[in-house]
Amino acid sequence: MSAKIINGKQVRDEMLAELSNEVIELTEQGMQPGLAVVVVGEDPASKLYVGMKVKKCGEVGIHSELYELSAEATEQELLDLIAELNAKESIHGILVQLPLPGHMREEAVIEAISLEKDVDGFHPMSTGNLQIGEDCFVPCTPAGIMELIRRTGMDLAGKHAVVVGRSNIVGKPVAMLLLQADATVTICHSKTANLPEITKQADVLVAAAGRPGLLGKEHIKPGAVVIDVGSPKGDVRFEEAEEVAGYITPVPGGVGPMTITMLLKNTIDSARKALKIRA
Ligand code: NAP
């Protein structure tokens, strides 16, 4: 058996076309979605990511503003900028690129972003709302993972989902989303004993350990949906996993393309909420 490939690039392109239409519709009603992207320092990877985010905004018609602070900027300067953006009507989403330089407290910065504009979904209130099933912005990578699973057509109710990784940005939120979709969820981490025994029970296996090649054939139940979040190298040994799985995401071209797409979606949703409030 050879697994069906879940093509993240194709899903992204389909979604971008839908999102462009939504932006046109909102703009016609006088509410062009706006995203502020803030980066501090000169880290090349961070610069690359923010550049990609701004470019994609342009492609779907979202207004974007890029703020580049020097590595010497103080935490207070960043907090002042966030306060300004919180109050700015043309901005519906604020993204502060992480990691921040060591002299800045990430928690304080994230908490300063208003909940209404927390399109990254990292604010502790957003995390709490996700836990209790309240309306909130869902972190982009987990939201993208769920979209990819949805597009396989699998009904998650009653299925066993195993998530390898328990980070606050991927593992925990995706586990919560799988639970909300009525899957039975197991979360594994670096201290988990008998990893293959557990992952082999998974109807859906989400690999988010950041350990290239950690999972192979012996970890996968025949026919399972396998989502490999590992980047830039996959956590799953693709060639052998492909022989066993029912569906599988490649790396690159699986989860990766979804993250920015979901950021744009969250920004559009935020503008839509602002329009409702204005009406
Ligand atoms: P992270 O914060 O380093 O967390 C990794 C998690 O994996 C931890 O919970 C760790 O367990 C667990 N783990 C590590 N080694 C393990 C092992 N041998 N067996 C079982 N669990 C193990 O990483 P992250 O930020 O969640 O990211 C995970 C991966 O996804 C990385 O490759 C990252 O680059 C990628 N990623 C991709 C995207 C994207 O494509 N858009 C977005 C975000 C992240 P402990 O908690 O016990 O340490």
Side-chain angles (χ1 to χ4, degrees):
M1 190 173 83
S2 187
K4 291 202 177 94
I5 306 296
I6 307 174
N7 186 337
K9 284 187 186 167
Q10 190 185 326
V11 176
R12 172 197 62 196
D13 291 345
E14 287 166 13
M15 284 192 72
L16 289 181
E18 291 160 18
L19 294 177
S20 295
N21 288 333
E22 287 187 44
V23 172
I24 292 170
E25 184 202 308
L26 282 164
T27 306
E28 280 171 359
Q29 295 175 74
M31 189 62 77
Q32 183 187 17
L35 176 70
V37 180
V38 182
V39 62
V40 185
E42 297 303 323
D43 178 57
S46 291
K47 291 266 185 191
L48 179 74
Y49 294 144
V50 296
M52 281 160 60
K53 286 166 187 171
V54 168
K55 182 166 170 275
K56 283 285 171 218
C57 279
E59 282 175 25
V60 298
I62 292 178
H63 162 74
S64 68
E65 296 178 7
L66 175 61
Y67 295 88
E68 296 179 283
L69 273 57
S70 85
E72 285 75 43
T74 63
E75 184 183 290
Q76 192 54 51
E77 282 173 311
L78 177 56
L79 293 175
D80 290 346
L81 172 61
I82 291 172
E84 198 185 299
L85 295 170
N86 280 340
K88 198 166 181 175
E89 272 189 26
S90 58
I91 292 299
H92 305 100
I94 302 170
L95 179 134
V96 177
Q97 187 65 43
L98 302 177
L100 291 169
H103 65 282
M104 292 185 176
R105 293 166 303 152
E106 277 183 8
E107 319 77 60
V109 170
I110 291 168
E111 282 179 36
I113 297 172
S114 99
L115 208 55
E116 290 73 33
K117 300 189 180 187
D118 176 39
V119 287
D120 237 352
F122 291 162
H123 192 291
M125 282 283 284
S126 299
T127 307
N129 282 335
L130 181 64
Q131 287 266 349
I132 61 174
E134 281 291 313
D135 183 39
C136 65
F137 290 115
V138 173
C140 303
T141 300
I145 292 167
M146 294 305 289
E147 186 65 32
L148 293 179
I149 297 171
R150 198 178 67 75
R151 289 186 185 228
T152 65
M154 177 189 251
D155 177 9
L156 282 165
K159 298 290 192 311
H160 189 182
V162 175
V163 180
V164 183
R166 57 174 165 181
S167 73
N168 291 331
I169 61 164
V170 187
K172 283 180 196 160
V174 82
M176 204 47 63
L177 292 167
L178 289 160
L179 188 62
Q180 276 173 14
D182 293 330
T184 302
V185 182
T186 304
I187 307 177
C188 302
H189 46 79
S190 67
K191 307 289 187 296
T192 296
N194 302 326
L195 187 66
E197 216 171 87
I198 297 168
T199 57
K200 196 128 196 193
Q201 296 171 30
D203 301 302
V204 178
L205 177 60
V206 179
R211 295 282 177 272
L214 174 70
L215 306 174
K217 217 173 179 167
E218 70 280 16
H219 293 85
I220 298 167
K221 177 177 173 177
V225 172
V226 177
I227 307 288
D228 190 352
V229 193
S231 166
K233 288 200 172 141
D235 287 352
V236 177
R237 300 194 289 278
F238 184 85
E239 282 76 18
E240 52 179 275
E242 192 191 13
E243 289 172 22
V244 189
Y247 288 86
I248 190 166
T249 58
V251 178
V255 174
M258 295 301 292
T259 299
I260 295 182
T261 311
M262 302 318 281
L263 172 70
L264 303 182
K265 184 176 184 306
N266 280 351
T267 304
I268 293 168
D269 289 348
S270 180
R272 197 180 296 287
K273 282 180 193 162
L275 184 64
K276 268 200 190 138
I277 291 166
R278 196 179 68 180

